[in-house]
Amino acid sequence: MASVSPRFLKLPETSQLSLRDQICEVVSSAITSEALALDRPLPSCRELAEQLGVSRNTVFAAYNRLVDLELLVSRDRSGYFVAPQMAGLKKVSSRTASTPQQEVPCPVTFQTKNLMPIVNPLDWNAYPYPFIYNQIDPDLFPVDGWRECTRQALGRKKMTVWASDSVESDSPQLIKQLRQRLLNTRGIYANEDEILITLGSQNALYILGTIFAHSAKPVALEDPGFFGARNAFRLAGIEMIGVPIDSDGLIPSAIPAGCQLVFTTPSHQFPTMVTMSQQRREELLQTAEAKDFLIIEDDYEAEMNYVAKSSPSIRSMDKTGRVIYVGSLSKTISPGIRLGFIVAHRDIIREARVARGVMMRHPPTIVQEIVALFFQLGHYDSHLRNIERRYNKRWHTMNRAITKHLGMLLRTDSEGGTSFWLTGPDGFDASELTRRLREKGVLVDRGQDYYLKNDDKRSFRLGFAYVPVSKLEAGVEIIADEVRALL
Ligand SMILES: Cc1ncc(COP(=O)(O)O)c(C=O)c1O
């Protein structure tokens, strides 16, 4: 019997899979889309190898893999056939996601149009100088260590742990590691029922927005401040009030009466990077008691300090249960794993757990287990030391380059973190600067987006975590040329 023509089995133009796996993908999708008849043999290994320009052994290995998966059967002297049980399979339509669909106007409008989107291009890493934020340098990531943890976490014996529905609970291993190796470095001693794992701190803020939305009282936030917090509260329908900051951080005396919550980023104020002084921290706690509000302390990048030691967290100073601490593993492990956590009074955590359960039940257990092992086996501590050292070097290189080339701008003093905040004189348009720099292959974050009213265009931010140290000064020089042209 004539075999199926090999000509319509084509490898994808680009793929990250091995050749064997690409053939498996092509043949298995031909089976599920009914493109292969049951009664005709597949092209022989020789025919398909010639058609695809690969070795016969590769096709042989792919066919045998599909036999193991019971998608194909091998018949003596007749070749490989689609397995008979595949005949009963519900077939997928040959229409693909890229088939154009007729556009119809959406019949409803949404409130998300009022949110501040993340404006960086998706291909940001194709730019020669991506001075953007919340991305890590993959060259610094301990891939082998991560792979080891992944392999161990995925062990067959552990399957009931990670494949089961954990309902609303978190990985006890991860909670234990966070308590022992992370929270105590911030002076925080919390019980298990005072901690909730989230999908990054963004999800933590969304959960908090949800559980505090019932109150009619507003939230006060730093202005300029973290758009991720603003978006979360805006989506929850909570009124927001901006609070100014100065070189010591948020100004407690400027917090109006009647707020239910105050959101702050004391370790490195977002986006200016100033560190809240010890005196301010104490003043903020006192004001919280006097004016009866809770504090959300977003302690991202607390570990990255190169000039002075990290200040104690506000949560560690709190004797009244008013501080809700939000942490993230985005900067220290990677933003792609999407893990963060909330530490707060157990009643707040109980509410947050219920809200999280409605959203997702729990963050993927397998990711929690891998990260727990990453801590347990010592990779986290070793990686943290490594990135601290590398970012320290980049921070000082940037500091020098900014002093040398961008002295015409005001640089906000900071003690660490992974970015710098620069401000031009009155009338300076950093949004235009951002646009021009993009054409030159340089990405920077425009500051306008971080103001509650989007009304100040003078500032921009340079994140340096992704740019190698050897390219930092050259990038700053390009920025300086464009700044001069705009002044
Ligand atoms: C102020 C602030 N908090 C938290 C984070 C981390 O967010 P996530 O944990 O959602 O990645 C970032 C990241 O850019 C940030 O700027």
Side-chain angles (χ1 to χ4, degrees):
M1 188 187 302
S3 65
V4 174
S5 162
R7 255 177 312 187
F8 78 102
L9 293 172
K10 292 200 175 85
L11 294 183
E13 272 169 30
T14 57
S15 173
Q16 294 185 339
L17 298 179
S18 67
L19 281 173
R20 183 202 74 164
D21 290 349
Q22 288 181 44
I23 298 170
C24 289
E25 181 191 348
V26 168
V27 175
S28 63
S29 78
I31 295 172
T32 47
S33 62
E34 247 179 353
L36 295 179
L38 284 176
D39 54 356
R40 288 174 63 191
L42 268 78
S44 69
C45 292
R46 183 185 50 76
E47 279 176 314
L48 190 56
E50 274 172 18
Q51 157 74 15
L52 301 180
V54 301
S55 82
R56 225 190 278 186
N57 281 347
T58 308
V59 179
F60 182 69
Y63 277 175
N64 280 336
R65 178 90 189 103
L66 293 168
V67 170
D68 289 344
L69 293 171
E70 299 184 354
L71 298 184
L72 296 182
V73 286
S74 157
R75 296 201 183 123
D76 262 357
R77 284 192 288 277
S78 313
Y80 293 91
F81 289 78
V82 176
Q85 66 268 27
M86 298 308 288
L89 197 76
K90 195 160 177 282
K91 302 298 178 197
V92 295
S93 152
S94 58
R95 189 170 124 174
T96 64
S98 57
T99 309
Q101 296 190 18
Q102 203 189 345
E103 267 298 324
V104 288
C106 180
V108 285
T109 53
F110 293 100
Q111 70 194 96
T112 54
K113 68 177 187 309
N114 297 324
L115 305 183
M116 143 80 198
I118 296 169
V119 288
N120 285 319
L122 276 179
D123 62 345
W124 59 269
N125 54 355
Y127 284 71
Y129 300 98
F131 284 103
I132 59 167
Y133 205 54
N134 208 26
Q135 299 294 353
I136 55 153
D137 183 344
D139 288 344
L140 305 186
F141 191 76
V143 177
D144 291 341
W146 183 258
R147 200 179 281 137
E148 182 194 346
C149 299
T150 307
R151 198 178 41 75
Q152 284 201 32
L154 281 168
R156 194 172 287 278
K157 285 206 195 109
K158 296 202 174 144
M159 190 166 164
T160 44
V161 176
W162 56 259
S164 310
D165 180 349
S166 307
V167 193
E168 286 174 355
S169 67
D170 292 317
S171 155
Q173 285 75 11
L174 181 56
I175 297 284
K176 182 172 164 201
Q177 294 303 319
L178 288 178
R179 293 173 70 205
Q180 285 181 354
R181 297 188 191 233
L182 196 154
L183 291 173
N184 62 0
T185 67
R186 305 294 300 128
I188 298 172
Y189 303 96
N191 295 320
E192 285 89 344
D193 59 356
E194 293 170 316
I195 307 173
L196 183 77
I197 307 290
T198 60
L199 289 178
S201 36
Q202 187 59 56
N203 175 233
L205 295 171
Y206 182 76
I207 292 171
L208 293 172
T210 306
I211 65 171
F212 286 103
H214 69 280
S215 159
K217 289 183 177 178
V219 172
L221 314 92
E222 295 161 338
D223 192 18
F226 183 37
F227 61 89
R230 235 166 47 211
N231 282 345
F233 298 128
R234 187 164 284 153
L235 205 52
I238 301 177
E239 187 195 339
M240 285 175 284
I241 298 174
V243 181
I245 55 146
D246 64 14
S247 57
D248 281 332
L250 174 129
I251 304 171
S253 58
I255 298 169
C259 291
Q260 56 164 325
L261 287 167
V262 171
F263 173 82
T264 180
T265 48
S267 277
H268 303 109
Q269 199 272 334
F270 182 105
T272 63
M273 303 311 281
V274 299
T275 298
M276 190 184 281
S277 64
Q278 182 65 19
Q279 199 187 341
R280 275 286 163 83
R281 289 169 196 245
E282 283 160 17
E283 198 185 328
L284 181 60
L285 276 171
Q286 284 156 11
T287 315
E289 269 202 84
K291 293 193 176 168
D292 191 22
F293 57 75
L294 302 185
I295 299 166
I296 299 179
E297 176 181 25
D298 178 346
D299 202 29
Y300 80 107
E301 283 192 345
E303 304 82 357
M304 323 256 173
N305 276 326
Y306 324 117
V307 176
K309 266 180 48 193
S310 301
S311 315
S313 64
I314 304 180
R315 168 84 194 174
S316 72
M317 300 156 58
D318 174 29
K319 305 267 182 300
T320 62
R322 287 181 180 273
V323 179
I324 302 171
Y325 182 90
V326 172
S328 170
L329 298 177
S330 286
K331 304 285 180 187
T332 48
I333 301 184
S334 102
I337 59 161
R338 305 300 319 133
L339 277 195
F341 49 92
I342 307 175
V343 182
H345 189 283
R346 62 176 55 82
D347 291 354
I348 297 177
I349 292 296
R350 197 177 47 238
E351 283 294 300
R353 195 178 295 284
V354 172
R356 188 194 67 175
V358 175
M359 289 170 201
M360 72 186 78
R361 296 179 88 90
H362 57 80
T365 316
I366 183 63
V367 181
Q368 297 188 50
E369 294 302 321
I370 296 169
V371 172
L373 276 165
F374 196 72
F375 277 101
Q376 241 172 313
L377 304 185
H379 296 296
Y380 176 83
D381 292 319
S382 148
H383 176 54
L384 192 59
R385 264 200 313 278
N386 187 27
I387 55 173
E388 270 171 351
R389 225 178 19 245
R390 305 289 196 100
Y391 289 158
N392 191 336
K393 197 163 170 205
R394 289 182 197 193
W395 189 89
H396 281 100
T397 307
M398 281 295 283
N399 202 27
R400 279 193 300 274
I402 290 171
T403 307
K404 189 165 157 199
H405 304 288
L406 287 171
M408 61 293 223
L409 301 177
L410 180 72
R411 179 239 325 250
T412 303
D413 283 337
S414 74
E415 298 176 354
T418 55
S419 66
F420 285 87
W421 179 250
L422 295 153
T423 304
D426 281 348
F428 182 71
D429 187 350
S431 301
E432 172 62 12
L433 174 74
T434 307
R435 201 190 54 70
R436 289 191 187 186
L437 284 172
R438 193 179 278 207
E439 285 168 15
K440 299 230 142 76
V442 182
L443 293 178
V444 306
D445 292 328
R446 60 177 203 179
Q448 181 187 349
D449 300 315
Y450 307 140
Y451 288 88
L452 202 50
K453 296 200 174 111
N454 295 145
D455 52 358
D456 192 333
K457 289 188 172 178
R458 293 171 305 144
S459 306
F460 62 100
R461 184 176 57 177
L462 297 180
F464 57 81
Y466 188 80
V467 186
V469 72
S470 58
K471 287 174 76 179
L472 292 174
E473 183 163 1
V476 170
E477 282 185 71
I478 301 174
I479 297 168
D481 285 344
E482 287 306 316
V483 168
R484 269 191 291 274
L486 277 174
L487 281 174

